[in-house]
Amino acid sequence: MSSTTRTPGLFSRHYRLITIGAISLVFVSAFENLAVTTVMPVISAELDGAALYAVAFAAPLAVSVLGMVVAGTWADRAGPQTPLYASVALFVLGLLLAGTAVTMGAVVAGRLVHGLGGGAMTVALYVVVARVYPPLLQPRIFGMFAAAWVIPALVGPFIAGVLGQTVGWRWVFLGVAVLTVFAAVMVVPAMRSMRAPDDAPRPAWSAPRILWSLLLAVAILGLSLSTELDGAAVFVMGGAALVVALVALRPLVPRRTLLGARGLPTVVLLRMLLAGGYFSAEVYLPYFLTGGFGLSPALAGLALTVAGVAWGASSWLQGQFSDRLTTRTSLRIGTVLVCAAVSVVLATALLGLPASVAIAGWAVSGAGMGLCYPRLSVLVLEYSAPGNQGFNSAALNIADAAGPAMALSLAGILFQAVAGPGAAATAGGAGAFAAVFALGLLFTLGALALSGRTGTAKAATAEAATASR
């Protein structure tokens, strides 16, 4: 390309349809995430599901790993179209099952199906970005993905809270299912012309990888369900499940990821720790605000709103200044902000500070995540060649799911151990919430320690010539 030729924008004629369609799918996924997080305390109270509260979030994250692995290999072999369509179908089916559930166990089962589809959908969209957009536009489209959380952040928690208090929480799931169908219809025209590059290697289906991902999902589910046990059995089963989960995770990510080796392994591990710390704290924050301070679900959702808006705004800003704000600086500032936000929430639980302090502090976490997430996604693509874009994208998203799933499972164990039976949602359980937030801080501090070890684009160019497996 000559120096005078300008790269078309995201909404130019060439990219308009696929940009709008992809952003629409991210939009409905964001709305579902924020809405369900807001309304889950209502579901838990109505269905007597306090013991399965953490499981309801960890379960879909756990099985999403299986969807990611299958979708990653499928996309490398045949392009992202069919995996994307199949994942959307599963996503909608799971929402319908959860929306018509009559027990907390049935809600969890529906979220298992929805999580399987959601994991596959995320990886398929990453491969779409790698195949469609030039490197200059990739930070911008990932920034737009994050910015697509802004409107759901503004209205999702409030709408979910109002629905939970009026017509019922079921309409949160059912309404998102309808929105997802409309978003998928928008993607279809642009996807028809896509196909895998003719010269790209076609990796064979890997039964071992699929089995490892299945084992990882089962181990994380076992870890989360260990909260149903009593006494020392909780820690025995939980410890064993955690070890199995880490063993199963190892073949699904780049070599030496769990050791934090510089470059791509650190990118994946940083994402896992950052996501684990952030989402484990976020899931319990509405529970903390409704149970500890007596706020309504709609008002407690304000914490998610301010964080979501900050996330979208900072993501958009980092995309606009991608040529001036270095990746290392963006990651360092972002992880510091997330650590600070979790610290504020922890201090609120420990010191009995006003709820407004936690809500305001949590806004800072969104700004930090918005700085980090797009840059980590771009780094993974820089480290990838056409033949392993699916594997590396799957690895990043596996980390994005496994980190929060394991953190939430551990948080559930801590919560039940500290709060004890019957104290889960009361002000007297402030110590239990503090234990959960302390765990989140530990994860985010680990991410901060790794933020300077992600490598550079030049190093990524050399590594991209070889597949991760």
Side-chain angles (χ1 to χ4, degrees):
M1 181 181 295
S2 67
S3 59
T4 59
T5 303
R6 296 184 61 184
T7 301
L10 292 176
F11 294 96
S12 63
R13 184 175 60 86
H14 184 69
Y15 299 115
R16 186 180 302 127
L17 281 177
I18 193 64
T19 296
I20 294 174
I23 291 174
S24 297
L25 285 174
V26 174
F27 174 90
V28 296
S29 179
F31 187 91
E32 183 274 339
N33 181 286
L34 292 165
V36 173
T37 301
T38 301
V39 81
M40 190 59 74
V42 176
I43 301 173
S44 175
E46 182 176 322
L47 301 181
D48 192 23
L52 292 176
Y53 186 86
V55 180
F57 292 97
L61 290 170
V63 297
S64 70
V65 172
L66 179 60
M68 291 171 186
V69 170
V70 173
T73 303
W74 197 352
D76 282 342
R77 285 180 56 82
Q81 303 98 311
T82 306
L84 185 60
Y85 299 151
S87 65
V88 169
L90 285 173
F91 188 81
V92 172
L93 176 61
L95 291 170
L96 295 176
L97 291 173
T100 56
V102 295
T103 66
M104 192 65 170
V107 171
V108 172
R111 285 180 61 75
L112 282 169
V113 177
H114 141 263
L116 185 65
M121 183 169 66
T122 302
V123 171
L125 284 175
Y126 269 61
V127 178
V128 167
V129 170
R131 299 277 171 88
V132 172
Y133 298 97
L136 182 62
L137 291 182
Q138 288 172 3
R140 298 180 187 177
I141 186 61
F142 282 123
M144 290 298 294
F145 283 176
W149 284 66
V150 172
I151 294 178
L154 284 171
V155 300
F158 178 76
I159 291 175
V162 171
L163 288 175
Q165 293 176 279
T166 56
V167 298
W169 55 266
R170 299 179 188 281
W171 287 101
V172 173
F173 293 102
L174 300 177
V176 172
V178 173
L179 292 175
T180 304
V181 172
F182 281 111
V185 169
M186 295 177 66
V187 173
V188 172
M191 296 292 287
R192 286 174 180 165
S193 61
M194 288 187 61
R195 60 189 180 89
D198 293 333
D199 57 348
R202 310 275 179 155
W205 285 100
S206 175
R209 288 193 70 232
I210 294 174
L211 291 175
W212 280 119
S213 66
L214 180 60
L215 178 61
L216 175 59
V218 171
I220 294 176
L221 285 174
L223 178 60
S224 61
L225 289 171
S226 64
T227 57
E228 295 289 292
L229 302 177
D230 297 320
V234 174
F235 300 98
V236 173
M237 179 178 173
L242 180 61
V243 171
V244 172
L246 293 174
V247 170
L249 176 65
R250 187 172 175 272
L252 302 175
V253 294
R255 292 184 178 90
R256 303 182 67 198
T257 290
L258 298 181
L259 298 177
R262 184 177 293 274
L264 180 61
T266 284
V267 173
V268 175
L269 181 59
L270 194 159
R271 181 78 159 239
M272 184 169 72
L273 293 174
L274 187 64
Y278 176 87
F279 288 108
S280 61
E282 183 188 61
V283 161
Y284 275 89
L285 185 55
Y287 204 5
F288 176 50
L289 295 174
T290 56
F293 293 93
L295 300 184
S296 68
L299 191 55
L302 181 62
L304 307 186
T305 295
V306 294
V309 172
W311 187 328
S314 64
S315 295
W316 181 82
L317 286 173
Q318 68 78 35
Q320 296 303 304
F321 297 99
S322 58
D323 55 341
R324 281 177 274 179
L325 181 64
T326 67
T327 294
R328 180 169 181 168
T329 300
S330 184
L331 293 177
R332 183 57 59 85
I333 294 174
T335 50
V336 167
L337 290 177
V338 177
C339 287
V342 179
S343 298
V344 169
V345 174
L346 173 60
T348 303
L350 287 175
L351 304 177
L353 302 177
S356 58
V357 174
I359 294 173
W362 197 244
V364 178
S365 72
M369 295 295 279
L371 287 174
C372 292
Y373 256 50
R375 293 306 179 94
L376 292 172
S377 300
V378 170
L379 276 174
V380 165
L381 296 185
E382 288 180 345
Y383 276 104
S384 304
N388 65 356
Q389 288 166 344
F391 175 88
N392 289 344
S393 296
L396 184 68
N397 286 282
I398 286 169
D400 217 4
M406 287 188 282
L408 278 166
S409 299
L410 293 173
I413 293 173
L414 281 175
F415 193 91
Q416 293 295 328
V418 176
T426 66
F433 288 112
V436 169
F437 299 143
L439 177 68
L441 180 60
L442 182 63
F443 271 70
T444 56
L445 287 173
L448 176 61
L450 292 171
S451 59
R453 295 176 51 83
T454 56
T456 64
K458 290 183 179 179
T461 301
E463 186 168 324
T466 59
S468 297
R469 283 289 182 272

